[in-house]
Amino acid sequence: EVQLVQSGAEVKKPGEPLKISCKGSGYSFSSHWIGWVRQMPGKGLEWMGIIYPGDSDTRYSPSFQGQVTISADKSISTTYLQWSSLKASDTAMYYCATLMTGNQWDYWGQGTLVTVSS
Amino acid sequence: QSALTQPASVSGSPGQSITISCTGSSSDVGSYNLVSWYQQHPGKAPKLMVYEGTKRPSAVSNRFSGSKSGNTASLTISGLQAEDEADYYCCSYAGSSTFVFGGGTKLTVL
C-alpha cells in the first residue's frame, strides 16, 4: 500500500527557518516524481514544485521559485520542503503528493500545518 | 501561470446531476488531455477522482465522469449523494513539468 507520512504541525515565528518532511513507502520512491501543494487557510490548492528523487531533478512553480527549497533523500525515501526565513504569509497546510501514474496527483500525504506568528 | 477558472459554488438535490466547469487556456487545458479532478472534504487531504480528462481510478464511483471541449474541462457527478458534498478542484498539466490548479468549487447537496 502506497503511503505518504508527513511530519507534524509546526508553530514558528517570522524569520525562523523550517524544514518539513514527507516519507514515502509501498512503492519505488526513487522512480517517481513527488511534489508539494500549498493550501492557505480557507483557500484553494497551489502547486509549489516537484522533485525526482532518483537524481534530485527539481522543478518549481514560478510563484514559489526562490521562496522555498525542495529536496529529497532517496536513501530514506523522504522529501523535504524548507524555508530559510518564514513569513506570516507562509501560514498554510502543506501537502506532499506523488505523480506516480502520470501527470496527476495520485497519492497524498495527510498534510502538515505550518503556523507562522509572532 | 494563471489559476484555472471554476465556479465558486454549485448545488444540487440528491439524485440529480451537476457539472463543474474548469476553464483554462491554450497553454494548459487546451493543449493537453491531462486535466485531473480532486475531491476534498473539510479537514482532509484531496483525493484523485478523474485523471487524463476522462479516466477514473478503480476505487472511484462511476457516478463521476470527466470531459473536455477546447479550453474547458468539466466534471459531472450523477446521482448526487450527501457524501458528495465537498470542495472540488481541477488541475491541468501546463508543459515543462508545470501544473496549474483551479480555484475550487464548493458543492452543496441540498
Side-chain angles (χ1 to χ4, degrees), chain B residues 1-4 7 11 15 17 19 23 26 37 41 43 59 62 67 76 78 80 83 87 93 95 99 105-106:
Chain B
Q1 261 183 350
S2 298
L4 307 178
S11 62
S17 294
T19 296
T23 301
S26 57
W37 289 89
H41 286 112
N62 59 9
S67 62
T76 298
S78 59
L80 266 181
E83 69 212 46
D87 294 326
Y93 181 71
F99 298 83
T105 298
K106 182 178 180 60

Side-chain angles (χ1 to χ4, degrees), chain B residues 4-64:
Chain B
L4 307 178
T5 300
Q6 298 181 231
S9 63
V10 298
S11 62
S13 299
Q16 287 186 332
S17 294
I18 64 95
T19 296
I20 299 171
S21 62
C22 169
T23 301
S25 71
S26 57
S27 299
D28 38 61
V29 176
S31 286
Y32 306 95
N33 286 319
L34 293 172
V35 174
S36 49
W37 289 89
Y38 303 85
Q39 176 191 66
Q40 186 180 35
H41 286 112
K44 299 294 187 182
K47 175 187 175 184
L48 177 65
M49 304 302 285
V50 168
Y51 66 100
E52 294 177 1
T54 61
K55 298 177 182 178
R56 261 189 329 272
S58 57
V60 172
S61 168
N62 59 9
R63 297 186 298 105
F64 292 83

Side-chain angles (χ1 to χ4, degrees), chain A residues 16-56:
Chain A
E16 291 186 335
L18 177 64
K19 191 174 189 178
I20 62 175
S21 66
C22 166
K23 182 174 177 61
S25 62
Y27 74 102
S28 178
F29 183 82
S30 297
S31 303
H32 299 283
W33 291 88
I34 187 167
W36 291 90
V37 175
R38 182 176 79 174
Q39 187 168 38
M40 299 177 76
K43 301 299 184 183
L45 304 174
E46 300 172 89
W47 169 69
M48 301 178 72
I50 55 174
I51 187 166
Y52 189 79
D55 61 8
S56 292

Side-chain angles (χ1 to χ4, degrees), chain A residues 4-8 21 93-96 108-112, chain B residues 43-45:
Chain A
L4 298 175
V5 178
Q6 298 186 227
S7 50
S21 66
M93 181 71 82
Y94 294 88
Y95 294 100
C96 62
W108 293 70
Q110 83 276 21
T112 295
Chain B
K44 299 294 187 182

